[in-house]
Amino acid sequence: MSLAPVTDPSGLLERAPRLAELLPDAALSEALARGDAWAVHAVLSRRLEHEPPGPTRELLAALVEDRGAFVIAARSPSASSVLGTGVRWKGSPPRGAAPNAPFVAERTVTVLGVPVWPLDGYLVRADGKAPLQVIGQVPPSRGRSRRRAVALAGMALGLCGLAGLGAVWLEARGMRAVTVVNGLSRPVDVRIGGEHWVVAPGTQEQGRVKLGDDLLRAVTTWPGHEPVIEDVWLPTDGERILYNVKGAAMLEAVPDDGATYSGPRSRSLPESAMVLQPGERLSVQAANWEAAARAFAEAGRWESAGRVASSVAQVEPGNALAREMAARALLILDSQAPVNLPDALRWRNTRGHAAMLMHTWQEDPGAQALALSLLRLIGDGDAARARYTEHAQQHPDSPLAALYLQRASPPSLGTAEAVAAYQELAKRFPDSPDVVRAWLDARWRFELGDSRPWSDSERQDFVTETARLLKALEEKHPPDTLEALELDVRILLRAQLRDAATTRVRRYAEDARRRTWDFLVLAGRTAAAAGPEHTSYVMLDWVPPALARQPERMALLDLLTGQRTPKAAEVAAVTSPVDRAVLRLTRDVLQDPKRALKDAVGESEAVLSRLDPEVAALLALELTREGDARAKNLFNASLPVMLAREPLRNHVLSASRATGPELIRLAPGLRAAATLVHARRDSQEGYPVFVQRLDGLARVDALGGFAVRAAGPWMRRAFDACMDTKVERPTPPGMLLRGAVVEEMARQEDDREGRRPNCEARIVTPTRLPLPRAAATTPAGNANGADP
């Protein structure tokens, strides 16, 4: 041990007298001799790391912690921050310290007030609210390295977390919530981005898709098929995207519950692709296209109704309902255009729909027949014939192309020339069921419409030959559409082959998918026309369960097929106002035509559009005969009546009994309705007079439609009106009648039965129909509601 005195030029032994207790120590003595206070602190720190527990270690720890004793001179550093971010002082005087007592404080880098990185330590003095007074710099604290390591690790972890959060945020910003709504009547396969859904009819699917470099694209196909039915770009300027396949469903955006922003309560969403705004939610007003189209039509939004129905007709093969609903809506829309517009502009929607049918469904005769009817109605028959001529030249071996051309070309149906033309076409394509059935249709219409006198044997031979040709066709090609079945049934009933007619209906119904509403009406009318002894089926056995649970629909079915007539109490018990009005109007056409005419003119679109075409035609034509302009709404009630409007009106208002080619082309029920109304005339006495024979109605419509069934009640109405009308006998000029003569003339005018011979001559004799019996009243207590 050296006894030489320790040199202490910096006076550390005076500031920290307990240092002497650690001497002699070579390293400590050398550091003291250099006068380096921080070197002395470093020596003490190193010795503390290896010192075993005991009094010496406690002394070393106390000296190391007293960093103020090792202060050295230094410039006052800067410390500034903004909103807690920058360099700030960390430290405060010990509790109980005297005022202005020095203490150790550290400069620290902070972020939003949180210390993240320790810097240098200083001995400072606080003087009230004045800035800290720096005395000198002190050595680093013993845990500064560890705190810096922790800070580095924390910053690294923070950066990683921020990067992760940023990635998640960016990922979230690139995601969109998507709702796919399918209003079509078939399932669809929808692909958006990398997601894929198979959406059932009338339902919706939800999911999230990721935005890529390009915009979102929705591609829709039928499941298991490659052809695309819709390919649209979706908007990405919102968080919730809606995709309404072909725009078929009826959607609205309504405010969320509790939303406080000002604006309309709801907004329509007519497009295929759209975005829900914040504070809105999706409301499905009609999940399927038919309900959507009807809702638009009942609201008078014909453009929207036509858009929905035509979009479905463009993609669904064989959807005749969509085609007809679109055609009707677009015809009404175009008819509302100013009449002074050129036809090229006025009928552009109808023309566009017909062009779509012509080009999209070239293998569908029904679609082509509708397109041709639309073009003829708007005066574009020549353009249609030119298009079919071009198509036939491009496909010379196609029987359908030749058939389309023949339909669009003269001669008109109902003539012998038309029969010969279709016969030549059938010889050219003998294996085409469409061509051969078109030839049989031409023969059938010719026999019904030819005005020349036929002998009974000639007519019977022609009808029998048509039926024989039909049987030969059906051996190879039984009817596969309802239109073909109806033609076959009418031909067979015309030939009195009732067993064969009902057999065709029974075989057609073996496929349960064919048992539609129109088929049930046809089956019921066929059974009524053939009679129970010739009918091999019970039509009610084919009624689907869903329809059987609707009493108002079953009552209407019975009424349309002639099974029974619902009573007034049964009609009044129907809960739906629309169904009740449809049932009442249909019944009144047969029982009370005057009341039916009065009620029909004030009914809404919802009621008129659900009327049977023959019912609407009878009411519209009777109003036309009376000169009532309100017949327009009834003419617009259904597409068949709209397409037949001009031929029907022309025949009713014509004085001639001859049926033109346009009338022969119509459905038999509509033709029979025109014949019935045409037979009525207004006499000078104020009651209608029949001037046309009506015994041919049953021949025109062998199925016994509404016009055939209404002939008796309408004649009864005319006969009763005639019997109730007094005929005033004018007094000869210059004569003054008095006394018994006047009384006798008054008695004759009041004698209702005395008017019978004149009324029978004016009402009954021209029709060659028996006088119908007076309407019977229902006896009280007829609980089962059966007809008397």
Side-chain angles (χ1 to χ4, degrees):
M1 177 180 300
S2 175
L3 298 179
V6 177
T7 305
D8 181 19
S10 60
L12 280 175
L13 292 175
E14 295 178 4
R15 283 180 279 168
R18 298 194 66 184
L19 282 173
E21 298 180 17
L22 300 176
L23 296 174
D25 183 304
L28 180 58
S29 298
E30 182 180 354
L32 287 171
R34 292 202 308 267
D36 189 347
W38 282 20
V40 174
H41 190 271
V43 169
L44 295 176
S45 298
R46 287 193 299 268
R47 184 173 175 179
L48 177 62
E49 294 175 358
H50 301 91
E51 187 69 26
T56 304
R57 181 175 180 84
E58 294 177 1
L59 175 59
L60 286 170
L63 291 173
V64 169
E65 291 298 328
D66 186 15
R67 293 190 293 160
F70 303 94
V71 63
I72 62 174
R75 292 182 178 180
S76 179
S78 62
S80 62
S81 64
V82 177
L83 299 178
T85 302
V87 178
R88 304 181 67 182
W89 290 104
K90 179 183 179 183
S92 59
R95 181 176 299 178
N100 296 330
F103 64 92
V104 175
E106 288 186 340
R107 286 196 318 146
T108 305
V109 178
T110 60
V111 177
L112 299 177
V114 178
V116 296
W117 186 257
L119 295 176
D120 302 327
Y122 290 86
L123 186 65
V124 298
R125 180 181 289 113
D127 185 11
K129 296 182 179 180
L132 292 178
Q133 179 182 358
V134 177
I135 301 173
Q137 188 175 3
V138 299
S141 63
R142 194 167 51 134
R144 189 179 71 168
S145 299
R146 184 175 64 254
R147 292 198 303 272
R148 284 187 172 183
V150 172
L152 283 174
M155 286 189 290
L157 291 176
L159 289 176
C160 292
L162 288 176
L165 290 175
V168 171
W169 180 74
L170 291 175
E171 181 77 10
R173 283 185 56 85
M175 299 297 291
R176 294 292 185 271
V178 175
T179 300
V180 181
V181 183
N182 177 22
L184 303 180
S185 54
R186 297 174 55 184
V188 292
D189 190 303
V190 180
R191 298 181 184 274
I192 301 176
E195 300 299 323
H196 170 228
W197 298 273
V198 176
V199 191
T203 63
Q204 57 180 281
E205 294 287 345
Q206 297 179 346
R208 295 182 65 84
V209 297
K210 182 179 180 181
L211 292 179
D213 296 334
D214 298 329
L215 297 177
L216 283 181
R217 181 183 180 187
V219 179
T220 304
T221 60
W222 302 123
H225 295 76
E226 293 184 359
V228 175
I229 63 175
E230 188 172 38
D231 186 348
V232 298
W233 295 101
L234 302 180
T236 58
D237 54 350
E239 299 297 327
R240 294 175 297 166
I241 302 174
L242 299 179
Y243 174 42
N244 185 10
V245 180
K246 295 299 292 184
M250 185 178 181
L251 308 179
E252 282 189 355
V254 299
D256 283 331
D257 297 335
T260 58
Y261 71 93
S262 61
R265 290 296 302 165
S266 62
R267 62 185 179 97
S268 177
L269 303 173
E271 298 85 5
S272 293
M274 62 217 90
V275 172
L276 273 182
Q277 302 299 329
E280 292 180 336
R281 59 181 174 85
L282 176 65
S283 175
V284 180
Q285 302 298 310
N288 63 80
W289 73 267
E290 183 178 352
R294 290 190 183 278
F296 283 131
E298 292 170 7
R301 299 169 59 180
W302 295 108
E303 183 176 5
S304 298
R307 173 186 56 79
V308 170
S310 61
S311 66
V312 177
Q314 187 176 10
V315 298
E316 289 197 8
N319 196 329
L321 179 61
R323 299 170 187 167
E324 294 177 1
M325 291 184 70
R328 174 173 174 259
L330 296 176
L331 275 173
I332 295 177
L333 176 64
D334 288 346
S335 65
Q336 295 173 350
V339 295
N340 58 351
L341 280 179
D343 287 345
L345 296 178
R346 185 182 183 191
W347 301 107
R348 59 182 182 275
N349 295 299
T350 304
R351 187 179 295 105
H353 183 62
M356 183 275 292
L357 295 177
M358 292 179 68
H359 292 85
T360 305
W361 307 114
Q362 297 183 0
E363 300 298 320
D364 191 330
Q368 299 302 320
L370 176 57
L372 179 60
S373 298
L374 292 174
L375 292 176
R376 279 176 170 167
L377 180 66
I378 63 177
D380 278 1
D382 293 339
R385 183 165 60 252
R387 172 68 186 92
Y388 286 129
T389 300
E390 179 184 359
H391 183 61
Q393 292 173 352
Q394 293 174 351
H395 305 278
D397 298 329
S398 171
L400 289 180
L403 176 60
Y404 301 156
L405 178 58
Q406 183 58 55
R407 284 178 176 175
S409 306
S412 300
L413 287 175
T415 62
E417 293 79 6
V419 174
Y422 280 97
Q423 183 176 3
E424 291 298 322
L425 199 62
K427 291 179 180 179
R428 181 181 170 191
F429 302 103
D431 297 328
S432 171
D434 297 298
V435 171
V436 176
R437 193 165 265 110
W439 171 38
L440 299 179
D441 180 49
R443 289 178 59 91
W444 170 68
R445 293 182 184 274
F446 169 65
E447 185 268 329
L448 292 180
D450 190 20
S451 59
R452 67 180 181 179
W454 291 53
S455 66
D456 292 341
S457 60
E458 288 178 336
R459 188 177 295 278
Q460 185 60 37
D461 290 344
F462 192 89
V463 169
T464 302
E465 177 64 14
T466 304
R468 185 191 67 80
L469 294 171
L470 175 63
K471 289 183 177 180
L473 171 65
E474 289 183 336
E475 290 178 358
K476 297 180 179 180
H477 305 286
D480 57 355
T481 65
L482 188 62
E483 292 77 10
L485 176 65
E486 181 178 347
L487 175 63
D488 294 358
V489 167
R490 289 186 180 278
I491 291 176
L492 294 172
L493 289 177
R494 185 75 185 96
Q496 300 297 315
L497 300 175
R498 293 174 288 225
D499 292 312
T502 57
T503 300
R504 297 293 185 277
V505 174
R506 177 173 54 80
R507 290 177 179 174
Y508 186 86
E510 291 175 355
D511 187 350
R513 295 172 298 180
R514 295 174 170 176
R515 299 172 187 174
T516 62
W517 172 267
D518 292 334
F519 167 76
L520 293 176
V521 173
L522 175 62
R525 289 181 174 177
T526 303
E533 65 276 10
H534 298 285
T535 304
S536 56
Y537 59 83
V538 178
M539 185 268 293
L540 294 179
D541 293 342
W542 295 335
V543 176
L547 179 60
R549 292 191 293 268
Q550 304 178 47
E552 66 280 1
R553 297 289 287 169
M554 293 302 299
L556 182 60
L557 182 62
D558 290 340
L559 186 55
L560 292 177
T561 55
Q563 302 296 317
R564 70 180 187 91
T565 302
K567 302 299 181 182
E570 185 179 355
V571 175
V574 176
T575 57
S576 170
V578 172
D579 293 331
R580 183 168 60 248
V582 170
L583 195 58
R584 185 186 66 250
L585 274 177
T586 306
R587 183 201 61 184
D588 287 349
V589 168
L590 296 179
Q591 291 187 342
D592 193 347
K594 183 177 181 180
R595 184 170 64 183
L597 290 169
K598 179 181 178 181
D599 294 342
V601 295
E603 290 294 352
S604 64
E605 158 67 19
V607 174
L608 298 182
S609 63
R610 288 171 172 81
L611 291 178
D612 186 83
E614 294 182 36
V615 176
L618 277 172
L619 295 173
L621 291 175
E622 182 66 6
L623 289 173
T624 300
R625 186 189 65 81
E626 296 177 356
D628 196 330
R630 292 176 295 179
K632 177 181 178 181
N633 290 339
L634 285 161
F635 274 118
N636 292 340
S638 64
L639 182 64
V641 182
M642 292 182 71
L643 295 176
R645 176 176 181 172
E646 290 307 316
L648 292 175
R649 291 183 74 258
N650 292 340
H651 183 70
V652 167
L653 299 177
S654 173
S656 172
R657 298 182 182 180
T659 57
E662 295 298 325
L663 191 67
I664 295 176
R665 188 184 292 136
L666 301 182
L670 299 181
R671 180 179 170 186
T675 302
L676 174 60
V677 178
H678 178 263
R680 296 166 58 82
R681 288 293 183 270
D682 294 331
S683 68
Q684 294 180 357
E685 290 81 3
Y687 47 78
V689 178
F690 282 81
V691 296
Q692 182 173 0
R693 293 181 302 179
L694 297 179
D695 57 350
L697 276 182
R699 181 172 65 88
V700 172
D701 188 3
L703 284 174
F706 253 80
V708 176
R709 294 165 55 196
W714 284 39
M715 187 178 70
R716 174 83 256 177
R717 175 195 173 203
F719 183 78
D720 290 341
C722 178
M723 293 284 287
D724 293 338
T725 302
K726 294 182 180 181
V727 181
E728 297 182 0
R729 292 175 173 80
T731 303
M735 294 185 61
L736 180 62
L737 303 180
R738 66 179 61 183
V741 177
V742 175
E743 293 178 357
E744 178 63 20
M745 293 183 62
R747 187 193 65 79
Q748 292 179 1
E749 291 179 359
D750 293 335
D751 184 9
R752 188 176 190 276
E753 288 299 318
R755 294 191 288 270
R756 180 176 294 274
N758 180 54
C759 291
E760 289 185 353
R762 300 175 67 87
I763 306 299
V764 181
T765 303
T767 66
R768 294 191 180 180
L769 294 177
L771 179 66
R773 62 187 177 92
T777 58
T778 304
N782 190 6
N784 61 2
D787 290 335

